[in-house]
Amino acid sequence: MEIKVLQKILEANEAIARENARLFKDKGVFVINIMSSPGAGKTSFILRTLEKLKNDFKVAVIEGDIASKVDAEKIREQGAPAVQINTGGACHLDANMIKNALNLLNLDDIDLLIIENVGNLVCPAEFNLGEDLKLMILSTPEGDDKPLKYPQMFTLCSVLVLNKIDLLNQTNFNVQKVRESATKLNANLQIFEVSCTTGQGINTWVTWLKNKFLVTR
Amino acid sequence: MHELGITENILSIALEQAQQRGAQRILKIRLKIGEMTAVVDECIRFYFEILSKDTMAAGAEIEVENVPIKVKCPKCGKTREASDYNFICPQCGVLSAEIVSGRELYVSSIEIE
Ligand SMILES: [Zn+2]
């Protein structure tokens, strides 16, 4: 006997993500989900962003990337609460992990929550967390063919950060080519060129983020 | 690698449905998987075999319908396949921001006895 099911495979995750989103909205917390390959510079990017925002906004960080366990300490040194999630070796964060991590944060005292996802550009794409903004970081040494390798990620993100732009001369990364291929997948993609080493482009990104925060909340 | 999490969800959806109908065994599970999801059918079958071992879904066949990527042109309104990730309408030269299909991740039906 055949039974029609027609159920989303990840509906359980979607339901929790919606719950998270509702809670964030109630508490006026703006949430960014940061995704990249390992070593693209997620933590340095978060630290640079914190540096610029910490006087005006209350920022907290959820660290999902196992590889950067030490970095939760660096974030606390910046005066921001940081929660480390134990993903148990999973290749992505899911909405339930975020829900559990929220027990360790006081949302009434947070304006902006930054989630550092696991270093991987395939798996996190399917798992909504309840975030307002999906951001991906691509670093120049990784090569400029990423949009073609991870199209789903490019269509789902609203911000693309091109990091390590100071190393451009040492790579054959073509910024124009990436901008073109990324925009062909997602016309609304906001692209920022930054260097977390020199600080180049960070102000432009942070100014954009502040505006986004103010119109959303 | 996200196939493990996805397969766990497939199994629990199938088991729940089958239990509701008082089934003895699940013979087949039909899935709808969009091309954009980058989910590998073989990985699902591999994890399914391990995960379903001591359940009524053990030995069930996994049938996958792969759904191609389709986009809709905002200008002429035409929907066309874009499995090459070329989202620009060949007639209007406009980018099709609307992805009509290719993101599916569904259990469409199960066969039980
Ligand atoms: Zn057209």
Side-chain angles (χ1 to χ4, degrees), chain A residues 1-3 5 7 152 184, chain B residues 95 103 108-110 112:
Chain A
M1 177 170 67
E2 186 181 352
I3 300 171
V5 180
Q7 198 172 327
Q152 170 91 320
K184 274 182 188 166
Chain B
L95 186 81
R103 292 205 206 274
S108 41
S109 69
I110 59 173
I112 55 171

Side-chain angles (χ1 to χ4, degrees), chain A residues 31 50 73 77 93 106 108 113 127 129 137 142 153 157 166 183 203 209:
Chain A
V31 184
L50 269 179
E73 296 300 320
E77 278 166 26
L93 295 179
N106 179 9
D108 291 319
L113 176 63
F127 294 84
L129 307 177
I137 303 178
E142 293 174 67
M153 191 56 100
C157 284
D166 54 312
T183 315
N203 274 335
L209 176 61

Side-chain angles (χ1 to χ4, degrees), chain A residues 148-162:
Chain A
L148 301 170
K149 277 192 194 152
Y150 306 105
Q152 170 91 320
M153 191 56 100
F154 279 82
T155 62
L156 291 172
C157 284
S158 41
V159 176
L160 167 65
V161 172
L162 301 176

Side-chain angles (χ1 to χ4, degrees), chain A residues 48-56 202-203 206 210:
Chain A
R48 281 287 187 179
T49 306
L50 269 179
E51 209 176 80
K52 298 280 180 193
L53 286 176
K54 66 179 180 186
N55 293 328
D56 306 321
I202 298 291
N203 274 335
V206 169
K210 279 182 183 170

Side-chain angles (χ1 to χ4, degrees), chain A residues 1-13 89-92 120 122-127 147-149 151-153 155-156 183-188, chain B residues 1-2 5-7 9-10 13 16-18 21 27 30-33 36-39 85 87-88 95 97 99 102-103 105-113:
Chain A
M1 177 170 67
E2 186 181 352
I3 300 171
K4 285 257 169 290
V5 180
L6 275 180
Q7 198 172 327
K8 271 191 179 171
I9 292 172
L10 296 179
E11 180 49 34
N13 185 71
C91 49
H92 58 266
N120 178 339
V122 180
C123 312
E126 300 301 334
F127 294 84
L148 301 170
K149 277 192 194 152
Q152 170 91 320
M153 191 56 100
T155 62
L156 291 172
T183 315
K184 274 182 188 166
L185 289 169
N186 180 352
N188 302 318
Chain B
M1 240 165 97
H2 52 326
I6 286 169
T7 312
N9 281 286
I10 294 170
I13 290 169
E16 196 188 312
Q17 292 284 338
R21 318 275 166 148
L27 304 172
R30 288 193 185 83
L31 308 175
K32 236 181 203 184
I33 296 182
M36 279 202 106
T37 62
V39 169
Y85 293 105
F87 292 175
I88 293 168
L95 186 81
I99 296 164
R103 292 205 206 274
L105 264 182
Y106 277 97
V107 176
S108 41
S109 69
I110 59 173
E111 243 167 61
I112 55 171
E113 68 172 19

Side-chain angles (χ1 to χ4, degrees), chain B residues 73-78 89-94:
Chain B
C73 171
K75 205 170 167 197
C76 65
K78 258 187 214 148
C89 177
Q91 269 132 53
C92 315
V94 183

Side-chain angles (χ1 to χ4, degrees), chain A residues 105-130:
Chain A
L105 290 167
N106 179 9
L107 289 182
D108 291 319
D109 205 32
I110 297 171
D111 300 316
L112 180 72
L113 176 63
I114 301 178
I115 301 172
E116 180 175 346
N117 215 312
V118 180
N120 178 339
L121 279 178
V122 180
C123 312
E126 300 301 334
F127 294 84
N128 285 321
L129 307 177

